[in-house]
Each structure stands twice: as C-alpha cells, then as structure tokens.
Amino acid sequence: MPETKALSEPQKALRKLGLDRDIDLALHIPLRYEDETRIVKLRDAREGDPVQIEAWVTDSQVAYRPRRQLVVTVDDGSDTCQLRFFSFYPSQQKALAEGARLRIRGELKGGFLGWTMMHPAYKVAGGELPEALTPVYSTVAALPQPYLRKAVASALARADLSETIPPDAPPAPGQATAWSLGQALRFLHHPTPEVSLAALEDRTHPAWLRLKAEELLAQQLSQVQSRRAHDELRSPALATHAGALHEQLLAALPFQLTSAQRRVGEEIAASLARDRPMHRLLQGDVGSGKTVVAALAAAIAIDAGWQCALMAPTEILAEQHFRKLIGWLEPLLAPRGLRVAWLTGSQKKKERGAMLELVSSGAAALVVGTHAVIQEQVQFKALALAVIDEQHRFGVAQRLALRGKMRADATPSPSSGRAGEGGSTDALDEAAAQREPHLLMMSATPIPRTLAMSYYADLDVSTIDELPPGRTPVVTKLISDSRREEVIARIRGQLEAGRQVYWVCPLIEESETLDLTDATETHRQLSEVLPGVLVGLLHSRMPAPEKKAVMSLFTGGQMGVLVSTTVIEVGVDVPNASLMVIEHAERFGLSQLHQLRGRVGRGAAASACVLLYSAGDSGKLSDTARARLKAMAETGDGFEIARRDLEIRGPGEFLGARQSGAPLLRFADLTTDADLLEWARALAPLMLDRHPDLVERHVARWLGGRQDYLKA
Ligand code: ADP
Ligand code: MG
C-alpha cells in the first residue's frame, strides 16, 4: 500500500487488526448478526428477545431516581415500552421527544412496570428494511462498527474470489466445496434472515465448511512447499557400520534397549544415512528412555568424524539428564582423542573459553549445554547432528539458530578414518545447496496426530510407545488443600520406608519479580513438622552452584524432601523418589502436570502423585482446572493427556505459537474437522504438481506475507 497521505484513525486501526488487503477484510467474518429485517409487535415479543419495533413516543422525561436518566415511553399500537438512557445529550432528548415516530432496536426486558429497553438503538421510523441480517464484527474503539461494515462490504465487492480449488480435486467431505468462496463469503457477511443461526454458530453451514476447507488447503500447500524446499537442502550422509562407536555404546549399556527404542533407533539411523537433513521429532512418554536413543544417534555422527550438539532447556536438566549419557560415551571417546564439551550460561569465563576452543577445533565430538550452545561465539568445526531435548520449551528462532550452526565449509575431523564416507552428493550439487545439520527434537509432550499433520508436514515423527520394564504405574490422587495434614502423614510414611519425596509449588511471575511465597512457606512448614529430615528448597533464581549442591544432596539420598518450583519439571531422574506432591495443582497446565508426575515411578517402588488443589476465594474450581485435574487422575497415558490438553486449551500452546508467530487456524478446528484436514492433505501435493498457478493464488490469498513462519 503506497504511503501517499497520512492514515486516518480507523485506517490505522484496520492495519493494526491485520485488515490490510481486500481479501483480509473479506475474511473478517462477523462475530454475530442482528436482525433488522423485520418489525415486530411488542404484543408478540418475548422476554430477552432482541427486537426491532416502530412506535410513537408518548412521553419523555428526565428522572432522578435511582439515578439521573432519560425515560422515554413508546407505544407501537400493541403495547407500550419504556426506553431508559443513563447518559444522553440534549440532541438525543430532542430526537426522543413526545410525538416522534421511531424505529427502535434493543433487547426486551419484562418487569413489574412492563417492557423496558436499556440504551436501545433508534432512528426515525420508516425507510426500507434490509433484506439480510446485519453483521456485527469484532473491532476496536478506533474503528466504529459502521465504518468497518462499509469497509468490509466494499472490500468484499472488490476482492478477487475466483476459484482456486482445481476441477480435478477429489470431492470434499460434507459437500464442503458445494459453495464457491464468493458465495460463502457473501453469505457469511450478509446471511438471509431465514438461515439457521445454529448452523452458523456451530460452523456446520456449507458456507463455513467452504471456508475451513480453503484454510486447511492453504496451510497444507504451504507445508508441502516448505517440505519440498527442505528436500533441496543437503546434510552429510552418516552411515553406520559394524564395530562402530554406536555398537560399542550398545554393548556398554547396563540394560537392553526396549523394542520401541530399537525401532526408533533404526528410523533415526536410516534418516542420518541420507544426504538430506533429518528433521525428526522423537516423542515418548516421560521415562520412556529417549536420552539413550539420542546418544546412539550421536555415536553415529561422531563415528563418521562429525560433531554433535545436544541442547536442553535448563542447566539442571542439561547436567542431570546428560550425566549418564556422558558416563557412557566418554570412556569410548577418550581412546579416540575426543572430548565432551559443556556450555552453560553460568560458566566462568576461563572455563568457557577452553570449551569454545574444544568446539571450534573439533576436539569436542559432543557438545552438551543449555541455550549457551547457540550463542554467537560458539563455532563448530563440523556440526552434523543437533539434538534438542524437550523441544517444545524452545522457540522456533532457537531451533533455527541451532540449524544455522553448520558452516558451509564444514568438514569432518581428519582424525577419523571414516571422514566423508557415504557423501554421495556430487560437488556441484553440494555447492548449490544450503548445508544443514540433521535435527533430532525430543519431547515427552506428544503432538496429537491431527496437529502433527497440519503444522509439521515436513516433520518425521518417531514414537517410543513402551516403557522400560519394571516400572510401576503412578497412582494419582486429587486432594483438597484443606487435607494437607493427611498428605504430610503420607510423606512421613514414605520417608520411614526409606523413600524420597518431591513437593512442587507453582511459581508466580509478575513482570520482574518472582513470588516464592508458596515455596518458602511450604519449605518452612515441612522442615518444622518433619524434624530430623533434611528438607531442601530449590528455585530458578538460586545461583547455579547452590542449585547443584541441593540437587546432589537429593540425588545422593541424604535429602528426604525436595521442595521446589518447576525447575525439576524436566529430566530429573531419582529412582528412589516415590511420592510427588503438587501444590496448587489447579494452576498448572496438563502437560506440565504430566511431566512433573513422571519424576516418580522411575524405580520399582509403588509411587504416587498427590495433586493438592485449593479452590480459592470463590470456593469453586474453574471448569478448565477441574477438567485438567480430572484428566490427570483418570489417565497416565501421555498421548491421551495430550489429546485432552488440545481439547481444553486449543493448539496454540503446543506449538509455542507465541514464540513462533505461526498463524493458527482461524476457522477450522482440528478436533472437529479432521476429515477436511485429510482431504486438504491429499489434495495439496497433487495441486502443486498440476496447478502451480492456482497454488500461488490460493496461498497468497490465505497466507499473504505470513508463509515464512510456517517454514521455520
Ligand atoms: P526420557 O524419555 O523421559 O528422557 P530418560 O532417557 O531420562 O527418559 O530415561 C529414563 C530412565 O530410564 C533413565 O534412568 C534411563 O537410564 C533408563 N532407561 C532407558 N532405557 C532403558 C531400558 N531399555 N531399560 C532400562 N532402563 C532404561
Ligand atoms: Mg528426557
């Protein structure tokens, strides 16, 4: 849009709402409708009805009780009604004077004194009645409804709504393409009065189906496009062979892999062997053993002479979680003259410098750390595999940064006799293509299938659907905070049996300051009622060495109870802990609760999770909180929990949408429109092959300038 003159306030508001193009306005679907097509008689109206009447003003006066107001009595020949205005101008008083004949629209309230309407809309009676319902749009103060209505109506007339769904497309489910986009939009903005408002509201009307089908198709097209672009990228092909590092690692493990671990290990190895970047999500419930699978993948990369980076969201996790892994790998690396490097935010300058040197020289075959791994100063010599643990805790930008850590001139380490083996891409191809490391993302928060299909079309998913043997299911109990005493008795019981206990408190973060009241108060209380027991306190603002000290007392078994904020949310592995108490469980999200619960039940002992809830001042839990807690008590299956979470919260949270800016679906709903999604998913590749011109128009229409987000 050329900036020829200054924008008016409403124009600025349109911009702010993202309503720049005609098509954006045309796709701004009304929130609801008002019926101005009919005049009703008061005699026929019912309490609570929004009505439009035409009537004479029979009386008009300012009353002062209970407060100053203009009270206007009107008579439509069938009955009378009082209109009340608490704020009014002299001009309004004049328009509403006795003897005026008005067309009045508002909600009817019955009552002791007969019908009333509060602040109804009115104008002089007469004039034509519109044929369609009047749309009411979501808007902001700077953008008055009538202005927006006009803007939408004229944009709708101008917008290019030509057909983009190809004639050879498979038939859409539910007649979703029976209406053209133009018909659908014109109808949704100005529906005829006899339409079923219920069908409009629950979005099952053919006009709605058409919109959803279009939207899902745009999303799928853009996904396939980004997958194809991704296929143009090149990565080192990392072949496995007999006797290699990853076999040695397998032999060194103190346990046998589960068959699920073996299967996903093979899936990953097959991807790594290709010269296309792997882009794979490894999902598996808490405790299913993802780390060792990542370690095996790392071994493959290292064996081929390349470097591997592992990034975890917190320092404690990075350390706790990978200590084992390093314990397994380091003895195998040392004889090859290779090292493991650590990178964390809390490192001393000197240590950090030494680590950076290891990374850039290639001496560190494995680089483990927090966000520090993606900082600018970190230069890899030959990064071929990036592993991101708890990937949903990172934003798209951070994932991209890690992928960007592979330099175009990266070469495998000369110390490995296997360098470059399997690199089948010819040199020309290689120079032209952008080089990327393979990417393995891990998460215990499984992505529901519909979500994976619609947002991660270029992502492969491997699932560990089996826990290592010998785990006992965790029993979950909902207990009101008023029964805290019982919970403390339970803790005593566990401590006497030689077990350990986690007590998690929510952290309330208000802008700058963290409210640690719950955690410190609980810590004080438990220390008091459990004399002779070491009760520790852990929270995110503690200096790293202090955190470490507390953690090592707990892992070492000297500390009986660990009171903490959510810092233990991920990764911590203390098999002797058998009870997890979560205070104010109603404040946590479902997936978060599930992750927390996964900290117990890691050993053979029967374990329990107590969700302490407090109903607060209202004395009642909110519906969402209730649904969440109920789901937790009913199932221990991470996939089922993720599915319910999607239902309760919608997809935004799964995707980290706030960080990514990925446009979420506005019209389609993955829980109800899975059939339309399947249709769009099948159509997208066909359409790209046969109708590139239609694809271009369709994607531009729906996604405008926003496609890029989807590629991240
Ligand atoms: P998560 O998938 O939640 O990251 P971890 O990788 O931390 O799980 O594994 C949880 C625990 O299970 C660790 O102590 C790990 O050593 C152990 N483990 C992993 N695989 C197996 C297996 N096949 N048999 C027995 N224990 C295993
Ligand atoms: Mg883990």
Side-chain angles (χ1 to χ4, degrees):
M1 215 186 275
E3 214 84 17
T4 43
K5 54 177 187 253
L7 293 175
S8 67
E9 285 305 315
Q11 281 170 328
K12 277 191 221 155
L14 281 175
R15 276 245 165 132
K16 235 178 157 171
L17 291 175
L19 303 175
D20 299 295
R21 309 170 303 161
D22 287 339
I23 187 68
D24 299 326
L25 280 157
L27 292 175
H28 192 61
I29 303 300
L31 276 180
R32 58 187 177 83
Y33 305 92
E34 278 173 2
D35 189 352
E36 296 178 67
T37 65
R38 286 173 297 174
I39 306 283
V40 300
K41 285 290 177 193
L42 284 168
R43 190 200 319 118
D44 304 326
R46 279 170 315 178
E47 162 98 46
D49 275 357
V51 295
Q52 176 165 260
I53 59 171
E54 281 196 349
W56 295 102
V57 176
T58 56
D59 187 49
S60 178
Q61 50 187 295
V62 178
Y64 290 91
R65 256 175 298 179
R67 52 186 273 216
R68 186 170 180 269
Q69 54 185 290
L70 178 64
V71 182
V72 178
T73 310
V74 299
D75 184 339
D76 78 342
S78 73
D79 204 347
T80 61
C81 177
Q82 279 196 341
L83 319 180
R84 292 175 182 270
F85 300 86
F86 289 115
S87 61
F88 52 94
Y89 300 106
S91 61
Q92 284 173 302
Q93 241 172 310
K94 219 169 129 200
L96 292 162
E98 189 179 332
R101 183 165 170 75
L102 302 174
R103 183 177 291 176
I104 303 150
R105 205 160 33 78
E107 191 175 309
L108 265 188
K109 295 240 190 307
F112 181 58
L113 297 171
W115 294 122
T116 54
M117 285 191 217
M118 310 300 279
H119 285 265
Y122 62 88
K123 58 184 175 192
V124 177
E128 266 180 52
L129 289 169
E131 280 169 18
L133 300 180
T134 309
V136 180
Y137 298 101
S138 73
T139 186
V140 291
L143 185 59
Q145 196 64 238
Y147 183 100
L148 182 54
R149 273 188 198 134
K150 271 195 209 125
V152 171
S154 58
L156 189 59
R158 274 192 311 262
D160 169 19
L161 301 176
S162 57
E163 188 59 79
T164 48
I165 295 180
D168 52 348
Q175 298 277 298
T177 50
W179 289 40
S180 74
L181 178 64
Q183 283 170 325
L185 286 177
R186 280 187 288 274
F187 179 81
L188 289 174
H189 287 288
H190 305 286
T192 45
E194 70 281 358
V195 67
S196 146
L197 283 175
L200 283 185
E201 234 156 66
D202 70 14
R203 305 187 168 188
T204 53
H205 190 279
W208 264 109
L209 295 182
R210 171 70 196 216
L211 270 195
K212 296 181 190 187
E214 290 245 339
E215 179 180 44
L216 288 166
L217 180 60
Q219 187 199 43
Q220 290 301 307
L221 285 169
S222 144
Q223 290 285 324
V224 179
Q225 278 175 325
S226 73
R227 188 168 55 209
R228 291 185 180 181
H230 189 246
D231 277 346
E232 298 293 303
L233 301 173
R234 292 292 177 275
S235 294
L238 307 170
T240 50
H241 47 87
L245 187 60
H246 99 286
E247 281 195 2
Q248 295 172 19
L249 176 56
L250 267 180
L253 289 177
F255 48 73
Q256 295 266 308
L257 292 187
T258 62
S259 60
Q261 283 171 319
R262 249 190 320 249
R263 174 174 44 76
V264 300
E266 279 160 21
E267 287 167 10
I268 292 167
S271 296
L272 292 178
R274 300 182 63 216
D275 65 351
R276 302 290 190 276
M278 173 173 78
H279 198 188
R280 184 174 291 275
L281 177 69
L282 173 59
Q283 57 182 24
D285 212 342
V286 189
S288 61
K290 295 182 289 292
T291 321
V292 66
V293 174
L296 288 164
I300 294 175
I302 294 168
D303 208 45
W306 295 83
Q307 288 172 297
C308 172
L310 282 156
M311 183 163 77
T314 68
E315 198 147 315
I316 288 214
L317 177 61
E319 178 167 350
Q320 280 274 320
H321 185 60
F322 295 121
R323 181 180 299 164
K324 267 193 195 158
L325 183 159
I326 290 162
W328 296 326
L329 268 175
E330 213 155 32
L332 303 176
L333 293 179
R336 301 168 186 234
L338 293 172
R339 304 268 313 265
V340 177
W342 267 102
L343 285 170
T344 68
S346 67
Q347 250 161 353
K348 297 245 158 55
K349 222 175 162 181
K350 200 168 150 217
E351 187 190 354
R352 186 175 171 74
M355 290 295 170
L356 288 176
E357 172 57 30
L358 286 178
V359 179
S360 62
S361 69
L366 180 62
V367 183
V368 176
T370 57
H371 294 79
V373 169
I374 49 173
Q375 268 154 15
E376 230 172 280
Q377 314 93 293
V378 186
Q379 295 276 340
F380 288 86
K381 175 154 189 292
L383 180 65
L385 172 65
V387 181
I388 304 182
D389 193 24
E390 306 294 343
Q391 71 90 22
H392 60 285
R393 311 239 314 191
F394 291 97
V396 170
Q398 291 160 325
R399 287 202 285 274
L400 285 177
L402 193 48
R403 282 164 67 180
K405 283 286 175 195
M406 181 161 183
R407 296 203 312 248
D409 61 346
T411 47
S413 150
S415 70
S416 164
R418 315 224 156 252
E421 209 178 73
S424 59
T425 342
D426 61 58
L428 236 174
D429 208 3
E430 186 122 356
Q434 198 190 328
R435 302 239 287 166
E436 289 230 329
H438 296 285
L439 184 61
L440 179 64
M441 295 175 275
M442 307 202 281
S443 178
T445 306
I447 296 180
R449 203 179 107 77
T450 43
L451 208 57
M453 266 166 55
S454 68
Y455 289 99
Y456 294 94
D458 63 339
L459 187 74
D460 295 312
V461 179
S462 288
T463 306
I464 306 184
D465 51 6
E466 176 186 1
L467 292 180
R471 302 277 167 85
T472 44
V474 179
V475 177
T476 302
K477 289 239 151 76
L478 299 187
I479 298 185
S480 160
D481 194 44
S482 58
R483 291 163 56 200
R484 224 175 155 94
E485 286 304 318
E486 287 169 44
V487 178
I488 290 171
R490 231 185 151 109
I491 293 180
R492 279 202 195 94
Q494 290 302 306
L495 293 172
E496 277 159 21
R499 305 274 166 212
Q500 290 165 280
V501 178
Y502 291 108
W503 185 301
V504 180
C505 300
L507 194 60
I508 305 150
E509 192 161 1
E510 274 174 59
S511 60
E512 304 278 277
T513 54
L514 292 185
D515 182 359
L516 288 165
T517 329
D518 284 335
T520 45
E521 176 52 27
T522 300
H523 177 243
R524 193 194 56 74
Q525 194 193 12
L526 290 178
S527 308
E528 209 173 277
V529 298
L530 299 170
V533 176
L534 187 54
V535 180
L537 177 63
L538 190 68
H539 62 80
S540 55
R541 282 288 165 91
M542 273 160 58
E546 224 172 286
K547 277 193 217 168
K548 248 181 225 171
V550 171
M551 249 352 266
S552 77
L553 281 172
F554 193 67
T555 3
Q558 299 96 317
M559 186 177 281
V561 182
L562 178 62
V563 177
S564 97
T565 59
T566 50
V567 285
I568 60 158
E569 183 182 331
V570 282
V572 181
D573 191 23
V574 181
N576 190 45
S578 58
L579 176 61
M580 155 91 42
V581 181
I582 304 176
E583 187 168 341
H584 283 301
E586 75 280 357
R587 294 191 198 155
F588 290 88
L590 202 43
S591 309
Q592 215 180 0
L593 287 174
H594 180 62
Q595 295 239 339
L596 285 168
R597 180 171 59 182
R599 297 307 109 206
V600 290
R602 310 209 126 206
S607 299
C609 174
V610 170
L611 303 176
L612 267 185
Y613 63 90
S614 93
D617 299 337
S618 68
K620 258 181 73 186
L621 275 180
S622 74
D623 289 347
T624 342
R626 185 185 309 280
R628 258 192 245 132
L629 296 181
K630 208 165 144 271
M632 280 298 292
E634 282 172 3
T635 177
D637 174 352
F639 283 82
E640 175 61 17
I641 284 177
R643 198 188 58 73
R644 296 210 197 174
D645 210 10
L646 179 65
E647 262 172 32
I648 299 170
R649 293 192 303 178
E653 302 270 345
F654 276 92
L655 303 169
R658 266 162 306 159
Q659 298 149 310
S660 71
L664 296 177
L665 293 168
R666 292 154 66 193
F667 303 127
D669 176 345
L670 295 178
T671 52
T672 54
D673 301 320
D675 53 346
L676 285 175
L677 175 61
E678 297 275 4
W679 168 82
R681 197 169 145 87
L683 173 56
L686 297 180
M687 192 165 157
L688 271 156
D689 292 339
R690 298 188 203 149
H691 306 282
D693 49 327
L694 292 180
V695 169
E696 196 177 321
R697 255 199 291 146
H698 192 85
V699 171
R701 173 183 289 167
W702 277 89
L703 300 174
R706 291 172 301 171
Q707 287 115 294
D708 280 351
Y709 288 120
L710 286 169
K711 304 222 168 94

